[in-house]
Amino acid sequence: MESELSVRDVLTNEYVGVSESDSVLETVRLMREERTSCALVVRGSEPVGIVTEWDVLGLVADEDDTATTTVEEAMTTPVITVGPDRSLTDVATTMARQNIRNVLVEDEDGIVGLVTQRDVIAAAGSFQATMTPVRSSGSLLDYDREVAEATTAPATESADARLVPNGGDEYTTQGVCEACGSLADALWDANGQLVCADCRTV
């Protein structure tokens, strides 16, 4: 059985760093150039905040001038920090509960990198692919039929623990919504997909 992924396995070592005095407009241009969803705000080598796509959208919605607004005025602080050996499951849960998309990774020597929501989603997809059961006999059609029966039949002791209903059609699995791709504390089965509460009500 494969060991659980840690933050170290998926973190992004390279990140965009800006200072508090930089303008939001300059920061957005840098984020676009580097194709990243956030910029870490540092004072020397000390992280003091983070500027995300959502912070920028908030400024635009308020009709603030991004050319004159400084990073210090727009940044989110404090930055949620985790260690590189923390399990990815714990970090994904923290991100979902805190409603954040990025966490800073630090060790005793300083900044190691960032873990973004995209990193978590990519890792979840890879993990699910490696966990797909390999059957020694029977057709793929038979396997699909068994999966369909397992997910629609009442929960039994032999059911996969990751898909045992927690009453009704709510599942205990905390993970990524198959409809919108966001992290969720709980997933529901809707038309054969595991979806978050928002997508379930659509």
Side-chain angles (χ1 to χ4, degrees), residues 138-150:
S139 69
L140 186 58
L141 182 61
D142 292 335
Y143 174 65
D144 288 342
R145 187 180 301 113
E146 289 174 19
V147 170
E149 290 170 357

Side-chain angles (χ1 to χ4, degrees), residues 8 11 26 33 42 46 49 52-55 63 70 78 81 95 98 102 111 125 129 149 154 164 168-169 173:
R8 192 187 303 278
L11 65 83
E26 292 170 332
E33 181 181 325
V42 291
E46 183 72 18
T52 69
E53 295 167 327
W54 284 104
D55 295 324
E63 299 183 1
T70 65
T81 304
M95 292 170 77
Q98 298 284 339
N102 311 276
I111 300 172
E149 290 170 357
V164 174
D169 59 352
T173 305

Side-chain angles (χ1 to χ4, degrees), residues 130-144:
T130 62
M131 294 300 289
T132 301
V134 176
R135 299 177 63 81
S136 58
S137 62
S139 69
L140 186 58
L141 182 61
D142 292 335
Y143 174 65
D144 288 342

Side-chain angles (χ1 to χ4, degrees), residues 70-139:
T70 65
V71 164
E72 184 177 18
E73 297 172 271
M75 70 183 183
T76 298
T77 187
V79 186
I80 303 300
T81 304
V82 298
D85 296 319
R86 183 127 171 234
S87 80
L88 192 60
T89 301
D90 286 346
V91 172
T93 300
T94 298
M95 292 170 77
R97 287 178 178 167
Q98 298 284 339
N99 194 25
I100 57 176
R101 298 183 176 203
N102 311 276
V103 294
L104 179 65
V105 184
E106 283 190 301
D107 62 14
E108 61 277 2
D109 297 322
I111 300 172
V112 178
L114 289 169
V115 171
T116 68
Q117 187 181 51
R118 290 186 180 99
D119 295 328
V120 174
I121 292 171
S126 298
F127 183 73
Q128 287 176 351
T130 62
M131 294 300 289
T132 301
V134 176
R135 299 177 63 81
S136 58
S137 62
S139 69

